Amino acid sequence: MQIGIDLSPREICGVLLCKSVILATVTTPVYFAAGESKKNIMDKIVEIIDGLFTSKVKSIGVSLPTKIDPEKGTIYDLSKIPHWKNIRLKTIIEDRFHVPTFINGDIHCFVWGEKSYGACKEYK
């Protein structure tokens, strides 16, 4: 099983997957006002993962609309969340849940999804 998380300017979505089948989804609205601390946003991400997590989860993937170092899992700049800079999200999630975590930009995740499961899966 895997957990997928997508952070957008309006909401955080989470899914629990088993062999590409969605078993559960969770969505929570989030507002990135100046007063919304990075801790509040992180707490919401962890809350969603907590709600989906079971002992059978083998990995977590997170998609964000930003520039990311996917190896380190570091968020460099989220234009819609200006106070989220240099966050080591991969480390935070791995330390909390003890499973491999993969972080990447949403455009990379979208392209990979289309190539693997969508309209582009027949193309090299």
Side-chain angles (χ1 to χ4, degrees):
M1 291 184 162
Q2 299 86 28
I3 292 176
I5 300 292
D6 180 58
L7 176 65
S8 76
R10 294 188 189 138
E11 61 191 9
I12 303 168
C13 299
V15 297
L16 177 63
L17 299 164
C18 183
K19 298 180 182 176
S20 302
V21 175
I22 296 173
L23 302 177
T25 62
V26 178
T27 301
T28 186
V30 64
Y31 304 99
F32 303 127
E36 183 86 55
S37 75
K38 54 187 161 188
K39 181 184 180 328
N40 289 344
I41 296 166
M42 190 66 230
D43 287 347
K44 289 177 184 181
I45 291 171
V46 169
E47 182 180 310
I48 287 176
I49 296 171
D50 268 336
L52 296 170
F53 197 84
T54 74
S55 60
K56 294 181 180 180
V57 170
K58 302 299 180 203
S59 62
I60 298 171
V62 182
S63 168
L64 301 154
T66 187
K67 296 176 188 172
I68 294 172
D69 178 336
E71 294 296 317
K72 293 180 184 174
T74 301
I75 300 166
Y76 289 117
D77 184 19
L78 275 170
S79 60
K80 301 290 185 183
I81 314 172
H83 46 279
W84 257 49
K85 293 183 192 283
N86 296 316
I87 304 276
R88 305 233 22 222
L89 188 59
K90 175 182 172 71
T91 301
I92 291 167
I93 293 173
E94 285 182 340
D95 287 351
R96 171 87 163 91
F97 295 99
H98 308 289
V99 296
T101 299
F102 305 91
I103 312 277
N104 215 323
D106 56 1
I107 192 68
H108 297 282
C109 294
F110 173 78
V111 170
W112 182 84
E114 283 298 320
K115 172 65 180 125
S116 300
Y117 304 103
C120 298
K121 65 182 175 187
E122 297 178 21
Y123 298 96
K124 291 184 182 180

